[in-house]
Amino acid sequence: MPQDRPVPQYPSHRPRYKGHDYYERGIYLITIVIAHRDPLFGSLNMDPVHPAVDLTPLGRAVEEEWEKIPDAELLHGRHLRILGKVAMPDHFHGVLFVEERMDVSVGEVIWGFKTACTKRWRAITGVDTPSSQPTTAGDTNTPPTAIGTPPTITGTLPSATTPPATSTPPAKDPPVSVSQPSLAATPPDPHRMSRAQRARYYASLPRERQPLFDDNYDDSVLYAPNQLEAMLAYVHDNPRRAILKARVPQFMQSCLCLTIAGVRYSAFGNFLLLRRPLKAQVFCHRMARMGQLTLDERLANGYTALPYPPDMRTKVRYIDTQAWERDREAWIKAAQNDTVLVTPGISPGERDMKNIAINCRLPLIHLQKEPITKKPEGERFFACAEGSLLILAPWPEDLDAMPRQFGGDYDRFHNMNLLAEQICAMDVARTELSFRVIGE
């Protein structure tokens, strides 16, 4: 962590991922949901040919506030750019480019946007907000990151022209504990509460006095310049996808032949997961490598403290290591922030992560070697119905045509993971997907 990182404006600000610096230059896909999922921003026109959201005055105001971010932040010497936006009936997507290092985090920029939107909402509805009444959007957290620390953004991204800001915001008072918040003349500051305290506090207020948005929000971090086009396409295509979900449910069901990069699959579930811009392969061997073991784990399993090749296989099961616990939590956090997990679920670790995703309704593309002959059963059926699962089964002819290196079933399992890697690497903005739906 850089030593000159400014102290967050509020003590309750904390990074959602420890590996990413949200003060640094980067591009972010921000998703903010209206509290209680109230459809206040507009309604879908239900036209799949010309999809759009018929915005309410509040929906238009929210888009206006998003466009104001660069000018508002420039007054403080911060250089940001708006790359995309869309207001959906009950949530908002925006793509924000931080052109150079800031003296505040992205989380505080989003907090300011949410606060401004809440004020516009109250002005539109005619709610008289006393000066002593908090009008904050209620977000006091910095955004999540993806797994690890992403590389420096280079290549086709716009270049920064101004030296990074280095000013440090003034220190704030320590958090105030609030046990029973009330509508007193001087109410407590929600930014100094824990998330649970804020939830109780806002629940005690009428809806018009609550924040417009949920307390939290999601973001995805751009890792490579070639992902930007897919990220923007995902934002701009939101109305069409929402209309398809409402009007064409069969698009989310069975497909006899889905061709991806020349490989044919039978499929069942939410095909739109293939169009998500961010995917992560869940891949792990049955047995841990030496480099994945801690020193205590090595000694406990009879390995000396002498150096070993990091890639050397051990007799220790991967799912019994601390490395598995760390990887599992990282995959869960990524999936909670719009990254689609892709795995055949072969090894115990992959299988456990697949089951976690299905049971928790995390976005998942599951590759199975058995042909799809009927609707999935149990939790897999409900995950498909809720749009969080796509099952792909490569045609046996195409799977058998892949190179064989090891012999036996290991080749088939190895090639299933190669297909998962291929799906994660495909350019969703340019890859053509060919469908033949069952019954055609």
Side-chain angles (χ1 to χ4, degrees):
M1 181 180 296
Q3 296 299 316
D4 60 345
R5 172 177 291 188
V7 177
Q9 182 177 1
Y10 296 99
S12 58
H13 276 207
R14 57 189 180 274
R16 295 172 185 160
Y17 282 82
K18 296 181 180 180
H20 183 66
D21 184 354
Y22 277 97
Y23 293 75
E24 197 51 82
R25 184 172 183 256
I27 292 181
Y28 305 90
L29 168 58
I30 306 295
T31 300
I32 315 176
V33 177
I34 299 177
H36 314 300
R37 283 282 185 177
D38 296 331
L40 301 179
F41 293 162
S43 58
L44 296 168
N45 67 359
M46 302 310 294
D47 182 354
V49 179
H50 303 288
V53 177
D54 296 326
L55 296 177
T56 62
L58 177 59
R60 291 191 291 271
V62 167
E63 290 197 341
E64 290 171 4
E65 292 300 327
W66 184 255
E67 292 289 348
K68 290 179 182 178
I69 288 178
D71 290 339
E73 297 300 326
L74 188 59
L75 297 176
H76 303 282
R78 304 165 195 147
H79 295 263
L80 298 92
R81 191 184 309 174
I82 299 302
L83 301 184
K85 67 179 185 302
V86 62
M88 299 296 288
D90 61 359
H91 64 280
F92 177 84
H93 293 294
V95 180
L96 186 67
F97 178 29
V98 178
E99 295 184 305
E100 60 184 36
R101 184 173 178 82
M102 300 188 295
D103 60 330
V104 298
S105 71
V106 171
E108 294 186 61
V109 174
I110 302 304
W111 170 81
F113 165 71
K114 294 173 71 176
T115 299
C117 291
T118 294
K119 290 180 179 179
R120 292 289 296 271
W121 175 45
R122 290 175 177 168
I124 290 172
T125 56
V127 175
D128 183 18
T129 306
S131 59
S132 61
Q133 178 66 34
T135 59
T136 175
D139 180 68
T140 60
N141 301 313
T142 52
T145 70
I147 305 170
T149 303
T152 303
I153 299 176
T154 58
T156 60
L157 302 185
S159 58
T161 57
T162 307
T166 56
S167 59
T168 303
K172 297 293 178 179
D173 296 331
V176 176
S177 175
V178 179
S179 57
Q180 293 183 348
S182 63
L183 291 173
T186 306
D189 183 358
H191 294 96
R192 302 181 186 278
M193 302 178 190
S194 68
R195 185 174 299 179
Q197 287 174 329
R198 283 197 303 276
R200 291 195 297 269
Y201 174 59
Y202 291 138
S204 71
L205 304 176
R207 178 66 182 103
E208 63 271 15
R209 298 286 187 183
Q210 297 176 19
L212 172 61
F213 293 108
D214 269 351
D215 191 38
N216 211 339
Y217 68 94
D218 292 331
D219 78 68
S220 298
V221 183
L222 186 76
Y223 285 104
N226 61 8
Q227 290 184 333
L228 179 58
E229 184 178 349
M231 182 179 283
L232 294 175
Y234 174 78
V235 170
H236 298 147
D237 200 36
N238 249 252
R240 184 184 68 86
R241 289 199 308 272
I243 291 170
L244 286 175
K245 290 178 182 179
R247 292 195 53 168
V248 195
Q250 64 268 26
F251 188 71
M252 313 276 287
Q253 295 180 0
S254 299
C255 179
L256 179 63
C257 181
L258 165 62
T259 304
I260 305 173
V263 179
R264 294 167 295 180
Y265 300 83
S266 56
F268 189 98
N270 182 2
F271 300 146
L272 296 176
L273 294 176
L274 287 167
R275 291 297 188 187
R276 293 276 190 94
L278 301 177
K279 300 181 183 70
Q281 182 182 6
V282 177
F283 173 63
C284 48
H285 286 275
R286 183 181 302 273
M287 310 308 288
R289 297 190 303 270
M290 186 62 68
Q292 294 176 312
L293 301 183
T294 65
L295 179 58
D296 289 341
E297 288 173 339
R298 292 184 187 185
L299 297 177
N301 288 278
Y303 297 101
T304 67
L306 296 176
Y308 288 89
D311 289 333
M312 171 183 159
R313 288 291 161 194
T314 70
K315 62 182 181 182
V316 183
R317 295 196 311 164
Y318 169 73
I319 60 173
D320 293 333
T321 67
Q322 294 183 31
W324 155 243
E325 297 177 3
R326 291 192 300 269
D327 290 344
R328 178 187 60 199
E329 293 305 311
W331 281 320
I332 291 174
K333 287 182 179 179
Q336 289 172 338
N337 292 281
D338 276 342
T339 296
V340 179
L341 304 180
V342 184
T343 185
I346 297 170
S347 71
E350 294 170 4
R351 190 162 55 248
D352 283 0
M353 193 62 244
K354 176 200 71 175
N355 292 334
I356 290 172
I358 291 173
N359 293 331
C360 297
R361 302 298 188 263
L362 302 177
L364 172 69
I365 296 177
H366 174 221
L367 283 76
Q368 67 178 40
K369 63 183 182 65
E370 300 84 6
I372 298 175
T373 58
K374 59 180 180 179
K375 293 181 180 178
E377 299 177 348
E379 287 299 312
R380 294 208 308 167
F381 175 83
F382 293 110
C384 288
E386 295 179 26
S388 64
L389 176 62
L390 172 63
I391 304 170
L392 297 178
W395 282 26
E397 302 94 317
D398 292 2
L399 189 58
D400 291 339
M402 296 181 70
R404 293 183 174 272
Q405 306 175 38
F406 309 100
D409 282 341
Y410 192 88
D411 275 318
R412 179 167 295 209
F413 296 157
H414 174 74
N415 288 335
M416 291 286 285
N417 273 301
L418 288 180
L419 293 177
E421 181 180 358
Q422 183 182 80
I423 290 172
C424 289
M426 74 177 186
D427 185 343
V428 297
R430 293 184 172 89
T431 301
E432 287 291 331
L433 301 179
S434 172
F435 295 85
R436 181 154 65 91
V437 178
I438 290 177
E440 291 185 343

